[in-house]
Amino acid sequence: MNQNQAELIALARMAQERAYAPYSNYRVGAALQTVSGKVYSGCNIENISYGATVCAERVAVFKAVSSGERCFTALAVVVSDDRPAYPCGICRQVLFEFAPDLVLYLRGCRGTVETALLRDLLPRAFKPALLTEDAE
Ligand code: THU
């Protein structure tokens, strides 16, 4: 594991401590790194109206974008289950909007880490270029 990966995972674990997950008891933390090296973290925030729940990944990306950041290099996601979890479909789409080349570090609670590229998780993505004049 390289240093950047270890640091990003450590920040995701700190964010996971703030997870609000009384319904699923599945606690998630995320840490999103910008090109300039800043990190925005997030945790899942559940709601008794289940559909109002927001995933940790989207909390992190919305915090970053609303702070003026749009270029991201890597995302760490930690979950409270042994098995690392890959971001849900909605989060993949939201992340792809800003960072199609994002590198993902996915950690289970016993330390298993998997690495993936967002591009591989969202093949034939619906992307901004498809709605603009200069579409590829
Ligand atoms: N969750 C995330 O935070 N990220 C994901 O990628 C998948 C699911 C959260 C949402 C909900 O609070 C709990 O995990 C169970 O679905």
Side-chain angles (χ1 to χ4, degrees):
M1 193 185 299
N2 66 43
Q3 194 188 356
N4 183 54
Q5 183 180 342
E7 285 172 5
L8 210 54
I9 287 172
L11 291 169
R13 293 182 77 185
M14 286 171 63
Q16 185 190 26
E17 288 172 20
R18 296 190 285 272
Y20 177 71
Y23 308 109
S24 72
N25 213 23
Y26 188 79
R27 302 168 67 81
V28 187
L32 180 65
Q33 186 166 55
T34 71
V35 280
S36 60
K38 281 194 208 162
V39 176
Y40 291 83
S41 64
C43 60
N44 56 330
I45 304 172
E46 298 189 344
N47 191 277
I48 186 61
S49 177
Y50 297 167
T53 291
V54 188
C55 294
E57 297 91 323
R58 268 176 291 149
V59 171
V61 72
F62 292 154
K63 278 170 68 178
V65 173
S66 61
S67 300
E69 302 283 352
R70 293 185 183 173
C71 298
F72 309 113
T73 53
L75 171 74
V77 181
V78 303
V79 297
S80 55
D81 189 86
D82 293 356
R83 298 160 292 184
Y86 288 70
C88 79
I90 297 173
C91 290
R92 293 180 196 196
Q93 183 70 39
V94 169
L95 291 164
F96 196 92
E97 180 83 12
F98 299 103
D101 294 315
L102 197 67
V103 177
L104 306 175
Y105 305 125
L106 311 162
R107 186 189 191 276
C109 68
R110 290 199 191 151
T112 305
V113 177
E114 295 180 12
T115 302
L117 296 178
L118 180 60
R119 203 176 272 295
D120 294 337
L121 303 184
L122 202 60
R124 301 187 66 89
F126 187 65
K127 55 190 174 183
L130 294 172
L131 290 186
T132 62
E133 294 290 335
D134 59 349
E136 300 154 29

